[in-house]
Amino acid sequence: MANTSSAKKNVRKMARKTEVNRTRRSQVRTFLRRVEDAITAGDKSAASDALKKAEPAMMRAVNRGVFHKNTAARKISRLNKRVKAIG
C-alpha cells in the first residue's frame, strides 16, 4: 500500500493509464481480428483493406507504448504473408 502522497498519486495515475492502454489494446485486437476473419473467409480484397487499417493502428499503439515495436512488426509481417498467400 502506498504511504506517501506522491506514491498515492502514482497509483491513481497508473490506474488511469491502465484503463487507456486496455482500450487501445482492445481496439488493435479488433482490427487484427477483422484481418483474420477476412483471411479465413478467403476474401483477398477485404483482407488487404483490413490489413491497411490494422497496420497504422498497431504502429500507433507501439508509439504509445502499448506494444513492443518488434511484436507489432512480427504480427504485421505474418498477416501480410498470409494475405498474399490467399488465392
Side-chain angles (χ1 to χ4, degrees):
M1 186 64 198
N3 289 326
T4 63
S5 60
S6 61
K8 290 176 183 175
K9 181 178 178 180
N10 280 331
V11 168
R12 293 193 304 270
K13 279 169 49 178
M14 280 189 301
R16 286 195 300 265
K17 294 285 274 181
T18 300
E19 189 58 38
V20 169
N21 285 340
R22 183 180 296 137
T23 303
R24 286 183 181 141
R25 192 176 305 115
S26 174
Q27 188 177 24
V28 169
R29 285 180 182 154
T30 301
F31 279 114
L32 295 178
R33 195 173 311 114
R34 287 179 187 154
V35 178
E36 289 285 343
D37 291 343
I39 291 171
T40 305
D43 189 355
K44 187 167 187 167
S45 62
S48 61
D49 288 342
L51 184 61
K52 283 179 186 174
K53 292 176 183 174
E55 188 170 0
M58 190 73 171
M59 288 306 164
R60 271 195 306 274
V62 168
N63 289 335
R64 305 258 162 71
V66 179
F67 292 107
H68 192 273
K69 68 177 183 177
N70 289 355
T71 302
R74 184 182 66 243
K75 286 180 182 289
I76 294 298
S77 174
R78 288 178 181 173
L79 284 173
N80 209 357
K81 187 171 139 184
R82 289 176 60 200
V83 168
K84 286 182 179 178
I86 298 173

